[in-house]
Amino acid sequence: MSTNMLIEAVDVHRSFGTTPALTGASVAVAAGEVVAVMGPSGSGKSTLLHCLAGIYLPDSGEVRFDGSRVDGLNDTARTRLRRTAFGFVFQFGQLVPELTVADNVALPLLLGKVRRKEAYARAEEWLDRLGLSGLGGRRTGELSGGQAQRVAIARALVTRPRVLFADEPTGSLDSLTGEQVMDELMNVVRAEGTAVVLVTHDARVASYADREIMVRDGKALTVGAVGR
Amino acid sequence: MSVPLTLLGLLDRAPSHGYDLKRHYDTLFGNDKPLSFGQVYASLGRLTRDGLIESRAEPGDGPDRKSYAITDAGHGQVAEWLGEPVEPAPHLQTVLFVKVVLALLLDRDAAGYLDLQRRTHLARMRELTEIKRTGGPAELLLADYGLFHLEADLRWIDLTTARLGTLAETVRIAETGKNA
Ligand SMILES: Nc1ncnc2c1ncn2[C@@H]1O[C@H](COP(=O)(O)OP(=O)(O)OP(=O)(O)O)[C@@H](O)[C@H]1O
Ligand SMILES: [Mg+2]
């Protein structure tokens, strides 16, 4: 067993009713490593991401983060872990439309009991880093797709998580906008040393990663160079 | 690619000496295959003969004392060339394609081959993405061009991988003339 891995799944099985989604998936991601998860539709990529992030519990197998079992933790402990150590970006629908951009980015900090002033100051900082200066007061419904994904990235990283889980983060963007969002995302995660689990169908997006993992029929096939 | 027409295109921007022209070409289009001086001067000779460029001797000595400038005819030629679409070459007979068909015919491990090819393609795409991050504008455009073409290959590889079961069956039936 590799010991220097930040997050890993070992022989994870997970079914939904009678549908097997994962049938013995093993993956390991080192600290600061960016890994693309690819594979056909329905192969189990999102399920794998949810298991790694402690959102779904595996039926069998183990999930470890920073050397400790995640699958043994109770709901409260897993929720806490997700809030403090993990960040999430999805294809759409993750921002709260009634709130402003700054509210959305500050939200994870406020939930984590950071003082209001401090939370908004940090949110502002992250908006600047992602090229969104001056947009803090907008409602998220008034943003372009690319801007909305940048806000989602700022929100995911504002707590400075160890791992960012991204499921098709550029899936609803055109090529050029997707590329710009990936450039920004890579800049910040490299600067922060955040590990990234990046689910994508798009090989050009996957080519930003250090290596790729192929998921086929619920099994993960690790390929490419390990480490950086 | 047509070297003379490309050189003509570069001369449409500004007159140039043969040596500078070669350097300019190599920077933008040479990639890992720079032009030889022989090619450059042969092309310039042809363009001069066709009346598309003119040379002017400059004072001094050395072999590169000639400056080349485009003529009106040359200017027209560039405009015409840039307005024409290129042949949409479908690249159907690539080694990649031939290997997959042969693997299927010979009942070899086509899936294994496709997986390996997929990894190799992605590794190259990672390199090109890195070149985009660090390189200049011409490298960026060239890397994009490579990335989109490799991506097209990859999509074909993925689709073929997904179809392998049916394809193998079809090939077997075609070969033996009967259902297995
Ligand atoms: N919440 C759920 N309830 C029931 N079945 C599910 C659920 N989530 C996933 N599945 C099933 O599990 C299998 C794997 O799904 P998953 O979403 O992990 O695939 P995926 O690789 O992410 O696909 P896509 O590329 O289309 O997003 C599929 O057969 C899917 O129908
Ligand atoms: Mg999915």
Side-chain angles (χ1 to χ4, degrees):
Chain A
M1 165 90 32
S2 38
T3 47
N4 58 343
M5 288 299 175
L6 181 61
I7 187 153
E8 58 189 330
V10 183
D11 198 24
V12 165
H13 290 69
R14 179 63 152 96
S15 297
F16 296 97
T18 56
T19 311
L22 294 177
T23 56
S26 299
V27 302
V29 178
E33 198 184 16
V34 178
V35 173
V37 178
M38 307 190 76
S41 195
S43 58
K45 303 181 294 295
S46 296
T47 307
L48 178 62
L49 182 144
H50 284 86
C51 285
L52 283 170
I55 297 171
Y56 292 158
L57 285 175
D59 300 331
S60 68
E62 291 180 13
V63 176
R64 292 210 183 96
F65 170 70
D66 212 7
S68 320
R69 288 283 288 267
V70 172
D71 49 297
L73 299 175
N74 64 25
D75 276 1
T76 325
R78 276 185 291 127
T79 305
R80 232 173 67 94
L81 182 67
R82 285 202 298 274
R83 238 181 232 161
T84 55
F86 300 160
F88 296 88
V89 178
F90 299 106
Q91 186 171 353
F92 0 62
Q94 40 199 327
L95 301 173
V96 186
E98 292 81 15
L99 299 180
T100 65
V101 167
D103 292 336
N104 268 281
V105 178
L107 195 60
L109 294 172
L110 296 171
L111 291 173
K113 307 270 185 288
V114 172
R115 280 179 308 110
R116 230 185 133 68
K117 210 174 138 198
E118 161 93 23
Y120 278 87
R122 275 206 249 161
E124 203 59 50
E125 227 172 85
W126 276 91
L127 290 174
D128 290 347
R129 282 181 78 170
L130 285 151
L132 297 164
S133 307
L135 288 184
R138 286 243 196 126
R139 295 208 181 274
T140 57
E142 299 163 359
L143 299 174
S144 72
Q147 287 169 335
Q149 285 311 77
R150 283 193 188 137
V151 174
I153 292 167
R155 189 177 68 172
L157 294 177
V158 73
T159 54
R160 312 193 68 180
R162 307 273 312 274
V163 189
L164 175 69
F165 293 96
D167 200 341
E168 299 283 0
T170 60
S172 54
L173 307 176
D174 65 40
S175 290
L176 187 58
T177 311
E179 176 178 317
Q180 288 161 349
V181 167
M182 279 309 296
D183 284 338
E184 303 272 11
L185 183 130
M186 291 306 293
N187 281 341
V188 290
V189 297
R190 292 300 192 205
E192 294 280 305
T194 319
V196 182
V197 178
L198 170 68
V199 171
T200 182
H201 278 108
D202 186 333
R204 273 173 305 117
V205 171
S207 73
Y208 282 86
D210 299 317
R211 62 186 167 101
E212 76 271 11
I213 289 171
M214 275 298 282
V215 180
R216 283 227 170 87
D217 303 326
K219 290 193 171 62
L221 194 69
T222 294
V223 293
V226 178
R228 292 194 67 198
Chain B
M1 177 164 60
S2 164
V3 173
L5 275 169
T6 309
L7 293 176
L8 186 65
L10 290 175
L11 286 173
D12 201 5
R13 228 174 128 224
S16 172
H17 290 94
Y19 177 74
D20 293 334
L21 196 59
K22 170 194 151 45
R23 280 219 340 226
H24 199 178
Y25 179 99
D26 288 345
T27 309
L28 287 174
F29 310 116
N31 209 17
D32 23 56
K33 234 179 49 183
L35 281 185
S36 69
F37 282 105
Q39 273 175 297
V40 176
Y41 289 108
S43 301
L44 290 174
R46 246 180 71 193
L47 292 169
T48 310
R49 188 199 63 207
D50 295 343
L52 301 172
I53 60 174
E54 292 166 344
S55 61
R56 190 158 53 94
E58 287 180 352
D61 44 30
D64 199 35
R65 295 326 319 166
K66 266 186 185 171
S67 171
Y68 297 86
I70 198 160
T71 62
D72 285 346
H75 184 70
Q77 179 84 34
V78 171
E80 192 180 315
W81 185 51
L82 292 185
E84 284 167 3
V86 302
E87 185 73 16
H91 304 303
L92 282 181
Q93 297 302 335
T94 63
V95 185
L96 170 61
F97 172 77
V98 171
K99 282 193 174 188
V100 171
V101 172
L102 275 180
L104 286 171
L105 279 174
L106 302 177
D107 211 5
R108 300 282 162 80
D109 183 12
Y113 168 70
L114 285 169
D115 258 348
L116 182 64
Q117 193 62 61
R118 184 177 207 291
R119 259 180 273 165
T120 312
H121 264 58
L122 252 176
R124 179 64 185 143
M125 289 180 76
R126 271 197 291 275
E127 287 171 10
L128 290 171
T129 299
E130 183 60 18
I131 287 171
K132 279 174 71 169
R133 199 170 67 80
T134 51
E139 283 165 312
L140 173 97
L141 288 180
L142 190 63
D144 267 339
Y145 191 81
L147 279 165
F148 277 102
H149 281 81
L150 290 173
E151 186 197 14
D153 278 356
L154 259 186
R155 289 165 81 151
W156 180 81
I157 287 170
D158 284 346
L159 194 72
T160 305
T161 303
R163 280 186 173 144
L164 273 185
T166 345
L167 282 176
E169 182 70 5
T170 314
V171 168
R172 216 165 13 248
I173 293 168
E175 284 290 285
T176 62
K178 58 176 193 284
N179 250 299

PDB file of all heavy atoms in Angstrom, chain B residues 42-55:
ATOM      1  N   ALA B  42      16.235  28.090 -54.036  1.00  0.00           N
ATOM      2  CA  ALA B  42      15.535  27.473 -55.171  1.00  0.00           C
ATOM      3  C   ALA B  42      14.134  28.070 -55.293  1.00  0.00           C
ATOM      4  O   ALA B  42      13.679  28.422 -56.391  1.00  0.00           O
ATOM      5  CB  ALA B  42      15.460  25.965 -54.986  1.00  0.00           C
ATOM      6  N   SER B  43      13.439  28.221 -54.148  1.00  0.00           N
ATOM      7  CA  SER B  43      12.087  28.791 -54.169  1.00  0.00           C
ATOM      8  C   SER B  43      12.109  30.233 -54.641  1.00  0.00           C
ATOM      9  O   SER B  43      11.270  30.644 -55.461  1.00  0.00           O
ATOM     10  CB  SER B  43      11.458  28.746 -52.766  1.00  0.00           C
ATOM     11  OG  SER B  43      11.401  27.423 -52.310  1.00  0.00           O
ATOM     12  N   LEU B  44      13.096  31.000 -54.140  1.00  0.00           N
ATOM     13  CA  LEU B  44      13.181  32.406 -54.535  1.00  0.00           C
ATOM     14  C   LEU B  44      13.463  32.517 -56.033  1.00  0.00           C
ATOM     15  O   LEU B  44      12.930  33.395 -56.714  1.00  0.00           O
ATOM     16  CB  LEU B  44      14.261  33.123 -53.708  1.00  0.00           C
ATOM     17  CG  LEU B  44      13.897  33.317 -52.229  1.00  0.00           C
ATOM     18  CD1 LEU B  44      15.074  33.891 -51.454  1.00  0.00           C
ATOM     19  CD2 LEU B  44      12.666  34.226 -52.084  1.00  0.00           C
ATOM     20  N   GLY B  45      14.283  31.587 -56.538  1.00  0.00           N
ATOM     21  CA  GLY B  45      14.571  31.574 -57.966  1.00  0.00           C
ATOM     22  C   GLY B  45      13.312  31.346 -58.792  1.00  0.00           C
ATOM     23  O   GLY B  45      13.039  32.044 -59.767  1.00  0.00           O
ATOM     24  N   ARG B  46      12.514  30.377 -58.349  1.00  0.00           N
ATOM     25  CA  ARG B  46      11.280  30.070 -59.060  1.00  0.00           C
ATOM     26  C   ARG B  46      10.305  31.237 -59.023  1.00  0.00           C
ATOM     27  O   ARG B  46       9.675  31.581 -60.026  1.00  0.00           O
ATOM     28  CB  ARG B  46      10.616  28.853 -58.422  1.00  0.00           C
ATOM     29  CG  ARG B  46      10.584  27.669 -59.353  1.00  0.00           C
ATOM     30  CD  ARG B  46       9.919  26.480 -58.695  1.00  0.00           C
ATOM     31  NE  ARG B  46       8.488  26.658 -58.544  1.00  0.00           N
ATOM     32  CZ  ARG B  46       7.729  25.868 -57.768  1.00  0.00           C
ATOM     33  NH1 ARG B  46       8.291  24.896 -57.089  1.00  0.00           N
ATOM     34  NH2 ARG B  46       6.436  26.074 -57.698  1.00  0.00           N
ATOM     35  N   LEU B  47      10.186  31.853 -57.873  1.00  0.00           N
ATOM     36  CA  LEU B  47       9.258  32.978 -57.718  1.00  0.00           C
ATOM     37  C   LEU B  47       9.697  34.152 -58.591  1.00  0.00           C
ATOM     38  O   LEU B  47       8.873  34.843 -59.193  1.00  0.00           O
ATOM     39  CB  LEU B  47       9.172  33.408 -56.245  1.00  0.00           C
ATOM     40  CG  LEU B  47       8.508  32.399 -55.282  1.00  0.00           C
ATOM     41  CD1 LEU B  47       8.720  32.818 -53.831  1.00  0.00           C
ATOM     42  CD2 LEU B  47       7.008  32.271 -55.561  1.00  0.00           C
ATOM     43  N   THR B  48      11.031  34.359 -58.680  1.00  0.00           N
ATOM     44  CA  THR B  48      11.552  35.442 -59.516  1.00  0.00           C
ATOM     45  C   THR B  48      11.250  35.149 -60.988  1.00  0.00           C
ATOM     46  O   THR B  48      10.768  36.012 -61.728  1.00  0.00           O
ATOM     47  CB  THR B  48      13.078  35.573 -59.328  1.00  0.00           C
ATOM     48  OG1 THR B  48      13.362  35.618 -57.929  1.00  0.00           O
ATOM     49  CG2 THR B  48      13.608  36.828 -59.991  1.00  0.00           C
ATOM     50  N   ARG B  49      11.527  33.902 -61.382  1.00  0.00           N
ATOM     51  CA  ARG B  49      11.290  33.491 -62.764  1.00  0.00           C
ATOM     52  C   ARG B  49       9.829  33.699 -63.148  1.00  0.00           C
ATOM     53  O   ARG B  49       9.497  34.155 -64.233  1.00  0.00           O
ATOM     54  CB  ARG B  49      11.658  32.003 -62.913  1.00  0.00           C
ATOM     55  CG  ARG B  49      11.632  31.494 -64.334  1.00  0.00           C
ATOM     56  CD  ARG B  49      11.548  29.981 -64.346  1.00  0.00           C
ATOM     57  NE  ARG B  49      10.319  29.518 -63.729  1.00  0.00           N
ATOM     58  CZ  ARG B  49      10.157  28.328 -63.130  1.00  0.00           C
ATOM     59  NH1 ARG B  49      11.167  27.483 -63.062  1.00  0.00           N
ATOM     60  NH2 ARG B  49       8.986  27.991 -62.606  1.00  0.00           N
ATOM     61  N   ASP B  50       8.902  33.400 -62.206  1.00  0.00           N
ATOM     62  CA  ASP B  50       7.473  33.551 -62.488  1.00  0.00           C
ATOM     63  C   ASP B  50       6.986  34.989 -62.349  1.00  0.00           C
ATOM     64  O   ASP B  50       5.782  35.250 -62.450  1.00  0.00           O
ATOM     65  CB  ASP B  50       6.659  32.646 -61.556  1.00  0.00           C
ATOM     66  CG  ASP B  50       6.941  31.168 -61.817  1.00  0.00           C
ATOM     67  OD1 ASP B  50       7.501  30.853 -62.891  1.00  0.00           O
ATOM     68  OD2 ASP B  50       6.613  30.331 -60.947  1.00  0.00           O
ATOM     69  N   GLY B  51       7.908  35.888 -62.052  1.00  0.00           N
ATOM     70  CA  GLY B  51       7.527  37.300 -61.972  1.00  0.00           C
ATOM     71  C   GLY B  51       6.754  37.658 -60.718  1.00  0.00           C
ATOM     72  O   GLY B  51       6.087  38.696 -60.663  1.00  0.00           O
ATOM     73  N   LEU B  52       6.811  36.812 -59.698  1.00  0.00           N
ATOM     74  CA  LEU B  52       6.049  37.074 -58.471  1.00  0.00           C
ATOM     75  C   LEU B  52       6.852  37.895 -57.462  1.00  0.00           C
ATOM     76  O   LEU B  52       6.264  38.548 -56.600  1.00  0.00           O
ATOM     77  CB  LEU B  52       5.591  35.754 -57.847  1.00  0.00           C
ATOM     78  CG  LEU B  52       4.710  34.887 -58.775  1.00  0.00           C
ATOM     79  CD1 LEU B  52       4.461  33.515 -58.177  1.00  0.00           C
ATOM     80  CD2 LEU B  52       3.381  35.584 -59.079  1.00  0.00           C
ATOM     81  N   ILE B  53       8.167  37.829 -57.589  1.00  0.00           N
ATOM     82  CA  ILE B  53       9.031  38.683 -56.757  1.00  0.00           C
ATOM     83  C   ILE B  53      10.151  39.264 -57.623  1.00  0.00           C
ATOM     84  O   ILE B  53      10.401  38.777 -58.728  1.00  0.00           O
ATOM     85  CB  ILE B  53       9.672  37.918 -55.566  1.00  0.00           C
ATOM     86  CG1 ILE B  53      10.527  36.758 -56.063  1.00  0.00           C
ATOM     87  CG2 ILE B  53       8.608  37.415 -54.606  1.00  0.00           C
ATOM     88  CD1 ILE B  53      11.308  36.053 -54.957  1.00  0.00           C
ATOM     89  N   GLU B  54      10.808  40.291 -57.091  1.00  0.00           N
ATOM     90  CA  GLU B  54      11.967  40.873 -57.765  1.00  0.00           C
ATOM     91  C   GLU B  54      13.104  40.965 -56.759  1.00  0.00           C
ATOM     92  O   GLU B  54      12.857  41.210 -55.580  1.00  0.00           O
ATOM     93  CB  GLU B  54      11.656  42.308 -58.222  1.00  0.00           C
ATOM     94  CG  GLU B  54      10.638  42.414 -59.318  1.00  0.00           C
ATOM     95  CD  GLU B  54      10.131  43.850 -59.480  1.00  0.00           C
ATOM     96  OE1 GLU B  54      10.325  44.695 -58.566  1.00  0.00           O
ATOM     97  OE2 GLU B  54       9.521  44.099 -60.523  1.00  0.00           O
ATOM     98  N   SER B  55      14.310  40.798 -57.264  1.00  0.00           N
ATOM     99  CA  SER B  55      15.436  40.948 -56.344  1.00  0.00           C
ATOM    100  C   SER B  55      16.173  42.235 -56.668  1.00  0.00           C
ATOM    101  O   SER B  55      16.129  42.733 -57.795  1.00  0.00           O
ATOM    102  CB  SER B  55      16.382  39.766 -56.468  1.00  0.00           C
ATOM    103  OG  SER B  55      16.884  39.707 -57.778  1.00  0.00           O
TER     104      SER B  55
END
